[in-house]
Every structure is written in structure tokens, then in C-alpha cells.
Amino acid sequence: MTIAYLPLPADDVPPYEPWAGEPEVLAEAAVAGRRAAAWIRSLPAAPAPRPVGTWLAGALPAAVEAAMGSLDPAQCDRMGPDGRLIEGDAGVDAGTTSTLTIVPCVLSDADWLTPDQHLRLLAVASVVTGIARLLADDPGTAILHGQLTRMCATLDHATRPDTPGLASEIEHTL
């Protein structure tokens, strides 16, 4: 059996129109990303210089902040001109996604962190990559039905400060 993909007419591609409430939801996500990045930066440093310690203090929080700040529902899954599916990235570039996906692989080297901190870092990486995938798969449902907002609440819960005094420090840096 032969499948022939029919090209889509180039003139029939409508311009992207934002969903109701999209700017507010995306702004909320960017703020949640900054709070998560601030929490990661607040984690204890390695007792001695180590590559994973440097990565946890710099690349990981930067990736979380970049991913949550660059979310773009217009970059969703769509049909290409040749009729094939183009997988969207929700505005999160491949390098950022790669940084988030290696979190489970590198946490075993961060032995100075508590198991609770390990779990919370895993949750952060999972939620952030999940948000991007959700927006790429179905931006309308994610925005209109509050799924993105609920995932941001999960991100906030995972990155809650370990000590009450730290909460005001994190809020002050934002």
C-alpha cells in the first residue's frame, strides 16, 4: 500500500490567535519558573567543587527558568505542508529539554543533597518538561481548562522553601 501525502495549500494556514487568558497563564508560568530556579540555586553547595555541583548551581536553574519563560502555545504539534505531523516544542529549545531530561542521571552524584531534595529536583524536571509537552500536544485544553495552572501549582509545591526564612529571600530575589 502506498500512502501519498497531499500538500496543504500554503495560503490556507490561518495566523495564530492566542487562547482566552493565555498571556496571564504564561506570565504565571514564567514566575513559577523563576521561583523554581531560585529554589534550586538556594540548595546547599557541594562540600568540594564537583561538576554536578556546578551544573546544579548554574545550568539546571537556568534551564528551568528558560523553559518556563519561553513557553509558546503557537509552537504546538501541527501538520506540515507535505501532510506529515510536525512535533511542536512549545517554545522550549532542544538544549533546554536535554538539560532537564538528564536530571535523573546526575542526581546520584549529588550525594550531599537529601533524598527529599533529590525527589523535589526530579519533580521539577518532570513538571517543566511535562508542561512543555502538554502545551505542544494540546494548548487549548492546557490553558482553557486550567491544566497549566495546576502544573504550576505542583511546581510551586515541589520547590517550596525548606526553611521559612528562605521564602522571603526567594521572593525578594524575584
mmCIF file with all atom_site columns, all heavy atoms in Angstrom, residues 18-32 34-35 68 71 73 143-144 148-149 152:
data_model
loop_
_atom_site.group_PDB
_atom_site.id
_atom_site.type_symbol
_atom_site.label_atom_id
_atom_site.label_alt_id
_atom_site.label_comp_id
_atom_site.label_asym_id
_atom_site.label_entity_id
_atom_site.label_seq_id
_atom_site.pdbx_PDB_ins_code
_atom_site.Cartn_x
_atom_site.Cartn_y
_atom_site.Cartn_z
_atom_site.occupancy
_atom_site.B_iso_or_equiv
_atom_site.pdbx_formal_charge
_atom_site.auth_seq_id
_atom_site.auth_comp_id
_atom_site.auth_asym_id
_atom_site.auth_atom_id
_atom_site.pdbx_PDB_model_num
ATOM 1   N N   . PRO A 1 18  ? -4.151  33.881 20.021 1.00 0.00 ? 18  PRO A N   1
ATOM 2   C CA  . PRO A 1 18  ? -3.989  33.420 21.407 1.00 0.00 ? 18  PRO A CA  1
ATOM 3   C C   . PRO A 1 18  ? -5.318  32.932 22.002 1.00 0.00 ? 18  PRO A C   1
ATOM 4   O O   . PRO A 1 18  ? -6.388  33.419 21.658 1.00 0.00 ? 18  PRO A O   1
ATOM 5   C CB  . PRO A 1 18  ? -3.496  34.663 22.152 1.00 0.00 ? 18  PRO A CB  1
ATOM 6   C CG  . PRO A 1 18  ? -2.989  35.572 21.092 1.00 0.00 ? 18  PRO A CG  1
ATOM 7   C CD  . PRO A 1 18  ? -3.763  35.271 19.853 1.00 0.00 ? 18  PRO A CD  1
ATOM 8   N N   . TRP A 1 19  ? -5.210  31.983 22.915 1.00 0.00 ? 19  TRP A N   1
ATOM 9   C CA  . TRP A 1 19  ? -6.359  31.472 23.641 1.00 0.00 ? 19  TRP A CA  1
ATOM 10  C C   . TRP A 1 19  ? -6.777  32.502 24.677 1.00 0.00 ? 19  TRP A C   1
ATOM 11  O O   . TRP A 1 19  ? -5.960  33.321 25.129 1.00 0.00 ? 19  TRP A O   1
ATOM 12  C CB  . TRP A 1 19  ? -5.999  30.159 24.334 1.00 0.00 ? 19  TRP A CB  1
ATOM 13  C CG  . TRP A 1 19  ? -5.579  29.094 23.383 1.00 0.00 ? 19  TRP A CG  1
ATOM 14  C CD1 . TRP A 1 19  ? -4.302  28.815 22.988 1.00 0.00 ? 19  TRP A CD1 1
ATOM 15  C CD2 . TRP A 1 19  ? -6.419  28.199 22.671 1.00 0.00 ? 19  TRP A CD2 1
ATOM 16  N NE1 . TRP A 1 19  ? -4.301  27.784 22.083 1.00 0.00 ? 19  TRP A NE1 1
ATOM 17  C CE2 . TRP A 1 19  ? -5.599  27.386 21.861 1.00 0.00 ? 19  TRP A CE2 1
ATOM 18  C CE3 . TRP A 1 19  ? -7.796  27.990 22.627 1.00 0.00 ? 19  TRP A CE3 1
ATOM 19  C CZ2 . TRP A 1 19  ? -6.101  26.390 21.041 1.00 0.00 ? 19  TRP A CZ2 1
ATOM 20  C CZ3 . TRP A 1 19  ? -8.292  26.992 21.809 1.00 0.00 ? 19  TRP A CZ3 1
ATOM 21  C CH2 . TRP A 1 19  ? -7.452  26.212 21.037 1.00 0.00 ? 19  TRP A CH2 1
ATOM 22  N N   . ALA A 1 20  ? -8.016  32.450 25.099 1.00 0.00 ? 20  ALA A N   1
ATOM 23  C CA  . ALA A 1 20  ? -8.505  33.350 26.150 1.00 0.00 ? 20  ALA A CA  1
ATOM 24  C C   . ALA A 1 20  ? -7.695  33.109 27.423 1.00 0.00 ? 20  ALA A C   1
ATOM 25  O O   . ALA A 1 20  ? -7.548  31.975 27.872 1.00 0.00 ? 20  ALA A O   1
ATOM 26  C CB  . ALA A 1 20  ? -9.989  33.088 26.408 1.00 0.00 ? 20  ALA A CB  1
ATOM 27  N N   . GLY A 1 21  ? -7.149  34.154 27.977 1.00 0.00 ? 21  GLY A N   1
ATOM 28  C CA  . GLY A 1 21  ? -6.371  34.053 29.212 1.00 0.00 ? 21  GLY A CA  1
ATOM 29  C C   . GLY A 1 21  ? -4.936  33.607 29.018 1.00 0.00 ? 21  GLY A C   1
ATOM 30  O O   . GLY A 1 21  ? -4.194  33.451 29.990 1.00 0.00 ? 21  GLY A O   1
ATOM 31  N N   . GLU A 1 22  ? -4.510  33.395 27.789 1.00 0.00 ? 22  GLU A N   1
ATOM 32  C CA  . GLU A 1 22  ? -3.156  32.893 27.525 1.00 0.00 ? 22  GLU A CA  1
ATOM 33  C C   . GLU A 1 22  ? -2.053  33.782 28.103 1.00 0.00 ? 22  GLU A C   1
ATOM 34  O O   . GLU A 1 22  ? -1.144  33.268 28.766 1.00 0.00 ? 22  GLU A O   1
ATOM 35  C CB  . GLU A 1 22  ? -2.950  32.701 26.028 1.00 0.00 ? 22  GLU A CB  1
ATOM 36  C CG  . GLU A 1 22  ? -1.578  32.202 25.652 1.00 0.00 ? 22  GLU A CG  1
ATOM 37  C CD  . GLU A 1 22  ? -1.426  32.024 24.156 1.00 0.00 ? 22  GLU A CD  1
ATOM 38  O OE1 . GLU A 1 22  ? -2.333  31.467 23.508 1.00 0.00 ? 22  GLU A OE1 1
ATOM 39  O OE2 . GLU A 1 22  ? -0.363  32.437 23.639 1.00 0.00 ? 22  GLU A OE2 1
ATOM 40  N N   . PRO A 1 23  ? -2.086  35.113 27.892 1.00 0.00 ? 23  PRO A N   1
ATOM 41  C CA  . PRO A 1 23  ? -0.983  35.931 28.427 1.00 0.00 ? 23  PRO A CA  1
ATOM 42  C C   . PRO A 1 23  ? -0.840  35.817 29.940 1.00 0.00 ? 23  PRO A C   1
ATOM 43  O O   . PRO A 1 23  ? 0.281   35.726 30.456 1.00 0.00 ? 23  PRO A O   1
ATOM 44  C CB  . PRO A 1 23  ? -1.358  37.362 28.017 1.00 0.00 ? 23  PRO A CB  1
ATOM 45  C CG  . PRO A 1 23  ? -2.319  37.213 26.886 1.00 0.00 ? 23  PRO A CG  1
ATOM 46  C CD  . PRO A 1 23  ? -3.038  35.913 27.125 1.00 0.00 ? 23  PRO A CD  1
ATOM 47  N N   . GLU A 1 24  ? -1.948  35.758 30.644 1.00 0.00 ? 24  GLU A N   1
ATOM 48  C CA  . GLU A 1 24  ? -1.893  35.660 32.106 1.00 0.00 ? 24  GLU A CA  1
ATOM 49  C C   . GLU A 1 24  ? -1.341  34.313 32.556 1.00 0.00 ? 24  GLU A C   1
ATOM 50  O O   . GLU A 1 24  ? -0.518  34.244 33.476 1.00 0.00 ? 24  GLU A O   1
ATOM 51  C CB  . GLU A 1 24  ? -3.302  35.861 32.713 1.00 0.00 ? 24  GLU A CB  1
ATOM 52  C CG  . GLU A 1 24  ? -3.890  37.236 32.485 1.00 0.00 ? 24  GLU A CG  1
ATOM 53  C CD  . GLU A 1 24  ? -4.554  37.416 31.114 1.00 0.00 ? 24  GLU A CD  1
ATOM 54  O OE1 . GLU A 1 24  ? -4.722  36.433 30.354 1.00 0.00 ? 24  GLU A OE1 1
ATOM 55  O OE2 . GLU A 1 24  ? -4.911  38.561 30.797 1.00 0.00 ? 24  GLU A OE2 1
ATOM 56  N N   . VAL A 1 25  ? -1.768  33.251 31.898 1.00 0.00 ? 25  VAL A N   1
ATOM 57  C CA  . VAL A 1 25  ? -1.306  31.906 32.265 1.00 0.00 ? 25  VAL A CA  1
ATOM 58  C C   . VAL A 1 25  ? 0.187   31.762 31.980 1.00 0.00 ? 25  VAL A C   1
ATOM 59  O O   . VAL A 1 25  ? 0.935   31.203 32.789 1.00 0.00 ? 25  VAL A O   1
ATOM 60  C CB  . VAL A 1 25  ? -2.130  30.827 31.528 1.00 0.00 ? 25  VAL A CB  1
ATOM 61  C CG1 . VAL A 1 25  ? -1.531  29.450 31.713 1.00 0.00 ? 25  VAL A CG1 1
ATOM 62  C CG2 . VAL A 1 25  ? -3.572  30.846 32.001 1.00 0.00 ? 25  VAL A CG2 1
ATOM 63  N N   . LEU A 1 26  ? 0.640   32.291 30.849 1.00 0.00 ? 26  LEU A N   1
ATOM 64  C CA  . LEU A 1 26  ? 2.061   32.205 30.518 1.00 0.00 ? 26  LEU A CA  1
ATOM 65  C C   . LEU A 1 26  ? 2.907   33.063 31.462 1.00 0.00 ? 26  LEU A C   1
ATOM 66  O O   . LEU A 1 26  ? 4.021   32.672 31.829 1.00 0.00 ? 26  LEU A O   1
ATOM 67  C CB  . LEU A 1 26  ? 2.299   32.594 29.065 1.00 0.00 ? 26  LEU A CB  1
ATOM 68  C CG  . LEU A 1 26  ? 1.695   31.649 28.026 1.00 0.00 ? 26  LEU A CG  1
ATOM 69  C CD1 . LEU A 1 26  ? 1.971   32.163 26.619 1.00 0.00 ? 26  LEU A CD1 1
ATOM 70  C CD2 . LEU A 1 26  ? 2.204   30.233 28.203 1.00 0.00 ? 26  LEU A CD2 1
ATOM 71  N N   . ALA A 1 27  ? 2.377   34.213 31.869 1.00 0.00 ? 27  ALA A N   1
ATOM 72  C CA  . ALA A 1 27  ? 3.099   35.058 32.836 1.00 0.00 ? 27  ALA A CA  1
ATOM 73  C C   . ALA A 1 27  ? 3.214   34.335 34.175 1.00 0.00 ? 27  ALA A C   1
ATOM 74  O O   . ALA A 1 27  ? 4.268   34.359 34.819 1.00 0.00 ? 27  ALA A O   1
ATOM 75  C CB  . ALA A 1 27  ? 2.388   36.401 33.004 1.00 0.00 ? 27  ALA A CB  1
ATOM 76  N N   . GLU A 1 28  ? 2.127   33.666 34.587 1.00 0.00 ? 28  GLU A N   1
ATOM 77  C CA  . GLU A 1 28  ? 2.140   32.878 35.825 1.00 0.00 ? 28  GLU A CA  1
ATOM 78  C C   . GLU A 1 28  ? 3.175   31.753 35.737 1.00 0.00 ? 28  GLU A C   1
ATOM 79  O O   . GLU A 1 28  ? 3.904   31.484 36.690 1.00 0.00 ? 28  GLU A O   1
ATOM 80  C CB  . GLU A 1 28  ? 0.747   32.293 36.056 1.00 0.00 ? 28  GLU A CB  1
ATOM 81  C CG  . GLU A 1 28  ? 0.626   31.377 37.242 1.00 0.00 ? 28  GLU A CG  1
ATOM 82  C CD  . GLU A 1 28  ? -0.747  30.701 37.292 1.00 0.00 ? 28  GLU A CD  1
ATOM 83  O OE1 . GLU A 1 28  ? -1.747  31.312 36.889 1.00 0.00 ? 28  GLU A OE1 1
ATOM 84  O OE2 . GLU A 1 28  ? -0.795  29.535 37.738 1.00 0.00 ? 28  GLU A OE2 1
ATOM 85  N N   . ALA A 1 29  ? 3.265   31.116 34.590 1.00 0.00 ? 29  ALA A N   1
ATOM 86  C CA  . ALA A 1 29  ? 4.232   30.030 34.401 1.00 0.00 ? 29  ALA A CA  1
ATOM 87  C C   . ALA A 1 29  ? 5.661   30.561 34.479 1.00 0.00 ? 29  ALA A C   1
ATOM 88  O O   . ALA A 1 29  ? 6.534   29.925 35.081 1.00 0.00 ? 29  ALA A O   1
ATOM 89  C CB  . ALA A 1 29  ? 4.000   29.334 33.060 1.00 0.00 ? 29  ALA A CB  1
ATOM 90  N N   . ALA A 1 30  ? 5.909   31.724 33.891 1.00 0.00 ? 30  ALA A N   1
ATOM 91  C CA  . ALA A 1 30  ? 7.258   32.309 33.940 1.00 0.00 ? 30  ALA A CA  1
ATOM 92  C C   . ALA A 1 30  ? 7.657   32.626 35.379 1.00 0.00 ? 30  ALA A C   1
ATOM 93  O O   . ALA A 1 30  ? 8.805   32.371 35.787 1.00 0.00 ? 30  ALA A O   1
ATOM 94  C CB  . ALA A 1 30  ? 7.320   33.560 33.068 1.00 0.00 ? 30  ALA A CB  1
ATOM 95  N N   . VAL A 1 31  ? 6.723   33.140 36.163 1.00 0.00 ? 31  VAL A N   1
ATOM 96  C CA  . VAL A 1 31  ? 7.012   33.444 37.568 1.00 0.00 ? 31  VAL A CA  1
ATOM 97  C C   . VAL A 1 31  ? 7.273   32.156 38.346 1.00 0.00 ? 31  VAL A C   1
ATOM 98  O O   . VAL A 1 31  ? 8.208   32.085 39.149 1.00 0.00 ? 31  VAL A O   1
ATOM 99  C CB  . VAL A 1 31  ? 5.856   34.269 38.205 1.00 0.00 ? 31  VAL A CB  1
ATOM 100 C CG1 . VAL A 1 31  ? 6.014   34.380 39.702 1.00 0.00 ? 31  VAL A CG1 1
ATOM 101 C CG2 . VAL A 1 31  ? 5.793   35.650 37.573 1.00 0.00 ? 31  VAL A CG2 1
ATOM 102 N N   . ALA A 1 32  ? 6.482   31.123 38.101 1.00 0.00 ? 32  ALA A N   1
ATOM 103 C CA  . ALA A 1 32  ? 6.703   29.834 38.766 1.00 0.00 ? 32  ALA A CA  1
ATOM 104 C C   . ALA A 1 32  ? 8.081   29.279 38.398 1.00 0.00 ? 32  ALA A C   1
ATOM 105 O O   . ALA A 1 32  ? 8.777   28.711 39.240 1.00 0.00 ? 32  ALA A O   1
ATOM 106 C CB  . ALA A 1 32  ? 5.605   28.840 38.392 1.00 0.00 ? 32  ALA A CB  1
ATOM 107 N N   . ARG A 1 34  ? 10.743  31.082 37.611 1.00 0.00 ? 34  ARG A N   1
ATOM 108 C CA  . ARG A 1 34  ? 11.764  31.869 38.338 1.00 0.00 ? 34  ARG A CA  1
ATOM 109 C C   . ARG A 1 34  ? 11.842  31.445 39.801 1.00 0.00 ? 34  ARG A C   1
ATOM 110 O O   . ARG A 1 34  ? 12.928  31.351 40.367 1.00 0.00 ? 34  ARG A O   1
ATOM 111 C CB  . ARG A 1 34  ? 11.466  33.366 38.210 1.00 0.00 ? 34  ARG A CB  1
ATOM 112 C CG  . ARG A 1 34  ? 11.768  33.911 36.830 1.00 0.00 ? 34  ARG A CG  1
ATOM 113 C CD  . ARG A 1 34  ? 11.791  35.442 36.798 1.00 0.00 ? 34  ARG A CD  1
ATOM 114 N NE  . ARG A 1 34  ? 10.525  36.054 37.147 1.00 0.00 ? 34  ARG A NE  1
ATOM 115 C CZ  . ARG A 1 34  ? 9.531   36.300 36.297 1.00 0.00 ? 34  ARG A CZ  1
ATOM 116 N NH1 . ARG A 1 34  ? 9.649   35.949 35.025 1.00 0.00 ? 34  ARG A NH1 1
ATOM 117 N NH2 . ARG A 1 34  ? 8.431   36.894 36.703 1.00 0.00 ? 34  ARG A NH2 1
ATOM 118 N N   . ARG A 1 35  ? 10.678  31.167 40.413 1.00 0.00 ? 35  ARG A N   1
ATOM 119 C CA  . ARG A 1 35  ? 10.700  30.697 41.812 1.00 0.00 ? 35  ARG A CA  1
ATOM 120 C C   . ARG A 1 35  ? 11.401  29.347 41.918 1.00 0.00 ? 35  ARG A C   1
ATOM 121 O O   . ARG A 1 35  ? 12.196  29.114 42.834 1.00 0.00 ? 35  ARG A O   1
ATOM 122 C CB  . ARG A 1 35  ? 9.273   30.580 42.360 1.00 0.00 ? 35  ARG A CB  1
ATOM 123 C CG  . ARG A 1 35  ? 8.670   31.888 42.791 1.00 0.00 ? 35  ARG A CG  1
ATOM 124 C CD  . ARG A 1 35  ? 7.389   31.668 43.588 1.00 0.00 ? 35  ARG A CD  1
ATOM 125 N NE  . ARG A 1 35  ? 6.354   30.985 42.819 1.00 0.00 ? 35  ARG A NE  1
ATOM 126 C CZ  . ARG A 1 35  ? 5.359   31.601 42.181 1.00 0.00 ? 35  ARG A CZ  1
ATOM 127 N NH1 . ARG A 1 35  ? 5.272   32.918 42.209 1.00 0.00 ? 35  ARG A NH1 1
ATOM 128 N NH2 . ARG A 1 35  ? 4.462   30.888 41.534 1.00 0.00 ? 35  ARG A NH2 1
ATOM 129 N N   . MET A 1 68  ? 10.394  27.732 31.292 1.00 0.00 ? 68  MET A N   1
ATOM 130 C CA  . MET A 1 68  ? 9.130   28.298 31.753 1.00 0.00 ? 68  MET A CA  1
ATOM 131 C C   . MET A 1 68  ? 8.902   29.713 31.208 1.00 0.00 ? 68  MET A C   1
ATOM 132 O O   . MET A 1 68  ? 7.769   30.140 31.053 1.00 0.00 ? 68  MET A O   1
ATOM 133 C CB  . MET A 1 68  ? 9.079   28.290 33.279 1.00 0.00 ? 68  MET A CB  1
ATOM 134 C CG  . MET A 1 68  ? 9.078   26.892 33.879 1.00 0.00 ? 68  MET A CG  1
ATOM 135 S SD  . MET A 1 68  ? 7.658   25.891 33.408 1.00 0.00 ? 68  MET A SD  1
ATOM 136 C CE  . MET A 1 68  ? 6.393   26.665 34.387 1.00 0.00 ? 68  MET A CE  1
ATOM 137 N N   . LEU A 1 71  ? 7.754   29.523 27.065 1.00 0.00 ? 71  LEU A N   1
ATOM 138 C CA  . LEU A 1 71  ? 6.602   28.730 26.632 1.00 0.00 ? 71  LEU A CA  1
ATOM 139 C C   . LEU A 1 71  ? 5.804   29.476 25.567 1.00 0.00 ? 71  LEU A C   1
ATOM 140 O O   . LEU A 1 71  ? 5.494   30.656 25.724 1.00 0.00 ? 71  LEU A O   1
ATOM 141 C CB  . LEU A 1 71  ? 5.694   28.409 27.828 1.00 0.00 ? 71  LEU A CB  1
ATOM 142 C CG  . LEU A 1 71  ? 6.288   27.471 28.871 1.00 0.00 ? 71  LEU A CG  1
ATOM 143 C CD1 . LEU A 1 71  ? 5.365   27.373 30.079 1.00 0.00 ? 71  LEU A CD1 1
ATOM 144 C CD2 . LEU A 1 71  ? 6.559   26.090 28.283 1.00 0.00 ? 71  LEU A CD2 1
ATOM 145 N N   . PRO A 1 73  ? 2.496   28.529 23.141 1.00 0.00 ? 73  PRO A N   1
ATOM 146 C CA  . PRO A 1 73  ? 1.485   27.594 22.648 1.00 0.00 ? 73  PRO A CA  1
ATOM 147 C C   . PRO A 1 73  ? 1.372   27.569 21.120 1.00 0.00 ? 73  PRO A C   1
ATOM 148 O O   . PRO A 1 73  ? 0.866   26.601 20.557 1.00 0.00 ? 73  PRO A O   1
ATOM 149 C CB  . PRO A 1 73  ? 0.185   28.106 23.270 1.00 0.00 ? 73  PRO A CB  1
ATOM 150 C CG  . PRO A 1 73  ? 0.612   28.941 24.411 1.00 0.00 ? 73  PRO A CG  1
ATOM 151 C CD  . PRO A 1 73  ? 1.950   29.508 24.051 1.00 0.00 ? 73  PRO A CD  1
ATOM 152 N N   . ILE A 1 143 ? -4.565  25.525 28.574 1.00 0.00 ? 143 ILE A N   1
ATOM 153 C CA  . ILE A 1 143 ? -4.814  26.902 29.004 1.00 0.00 ? 143 ILE A CA  1
ATOM 154 C C   . ILE A 1 143 ? -6.256  27.084 29.479 1.00 0.00 ? 143 ILE A C   1
ATOM 155 O O   . ILE A 1 143 ? -6.499  27.607 30.570 1.00 0.00 ? 143 ILE A O   1
ATOM 156 C CB  . ILE A 1 143 ? -4.476  27.880 27.860 1.00 0.00 ? 143 ILE A CB  1
ATOM 157 C CG1 . ILE A 1 143 ? -2.973  27.841 27.596 1.00 0.00 ? 143 ILE A CG1 1
ATOM 158 C CG2 . ILE A 1 143 ? -4.942  29.300 28.194 1.00 0.00 ? 143 ILE A CG2 1
ATOM 159 C CD1 . ILE A 1 143 ? -2.535  28.534 26.330 1.00 0.00 ? 143 ILE A CD1 1
ATOM 160 N N   . LEU A 1 144 ? -7.212  26.661 28.688 1.00 0.00 ? 144 LEU A N   1
ATOM 161 C CA  . LEU A 1 144 ? -8.617  26.923 28.981 1.00 0.00 ? 144 LEU A CA  1
ATOM 162 C C   . LEU A 1 144 ? -9.162  26.114 30.151 1.00 0.00 ? 144 LEU A C   1
ATOM 163 O O   . LEU A 1 144 ? -10.082 26.555 30.835 1.00 0.00 ? 144 LEU A O   1
ATOM 164 C CB  . LEU A 1 144 ? -9.472  26.674 27.738 1.00 0.00 ? 144 LEU A CB  1
ATOM 165 C CG  . LEU A 1 144 ? -9.174  27.575 26.543 1.00 0.00 ? 144 LEU A CG  1
ATOM 166 C CD1 . LEU A 1 144 ? -10.008 27.160 25.340 1.00 0.00 ? 144 LEU A CD1 1
ATOM 167 C CD2 . LEU A 1 144 ? -9.405  29.038 26.890 1.00 0.00 ? 144 LEU A CD2 1
ATOM 168 N N   . LEU A 1 148 ? -2.424  23.890 32.909 1.00 0.00 ? 148 LEU A N   1
ATOM 169 C CA  . LEU A 1 148 ? -1.125  24.555 33.062 1.00 0.00 ? 148 LEU A CA  1
ATOM 170 C C   . LEU A 1 148 ? -1.029  25.209 34.441 1.00 0.00 ? 148 LEU A C   1
ATOM 171 O O   . LEU A 1 148 ? 0.004   25.114 35.110 1.00 0.00 ? 148 LEU A O   1
ATOM 172 C CB  . LEU A 1 148 ? -0.920  25.585 31.947 1.00 0.00 ? 148 LEU A CB  1
ATOM 173 C CG  . LEU A 1 148 ? 0.405   26.313 31.934 1.00 0.00 ? 148 LEU A CG  1
ATOM 174 C CD1 . LEU A 1 148 ? 1.567   25.340 31.806 1.00 0.00 ? 148 LEU A CD1 1
ATOM 175 C CD2 . LEU A 1 148 ? 0.452   27.304 30.781 1.00 0.00 ? 148 LEU A CD2 1
ATOM 176 N N   . THR A 1 149 ? -2.104  25.826 34.880 1.00 0.00 ? 149 THR A N   1
ATOM 177 C CA  . THR A 1 149 ? -2.126  26.449 36.206 1.00 0.00 ? 149 THR A CA  1
ATOM 178 C C   . THR A 1 149 ? -1.924  25.409 37.302 1.00 0.00 ? 149 THR A C   1
ATOM 179 O O   . THR A 1 149 ? -1.161  25.637 38.251 1.00 0.00 ? 149 THR A O   1
ATOM 180 C CB  . THR A 1 149 ? -3.450  27.202 36.408 1.00 0.00 ? 149 THR A CB  1
ATOM 181 O OG1 . THR A 1 149 ? -3.549  28.220 35.405 1.00 0.00 ? 149 THR A OG1 1
ATOM 182 C CG2 . THR A 1 149 ? -3.531  27.835 37.774 1.00 0.00 ? 149 THR A CG2 1
ATOM 183 N N   . CYS A 1 152 ? 1.674   24.349 37.384 1.00 0.00 ? 152 CYS A N   1
ATOM 184 C CA  . CYS A 1 152 ? 2.499   25.383 38.026 1.00 0.00 ? 152 CYS A CA  1
ATOM 185 C C   . CYS A 1 152 ? 2.355   25.307 39.545 1.00 0.00 ? 152 CYS A C   1
ATOM 186 O O   . CYS A 1 152 ? 3.328   25.523 40.280 1.00 0.00 ? 152 CYS A O   1
ATOM 187 C CB  . CYS A 1 152 ? 2.123   26.771 37.514 1.00 0.00 ? 152 CYS A CB  1
ATOM 188 S SG  . CYS A 1 152 ? 2.703   27.084 35.838 1.00 0.00 ? 152 CYS A SG  1
#
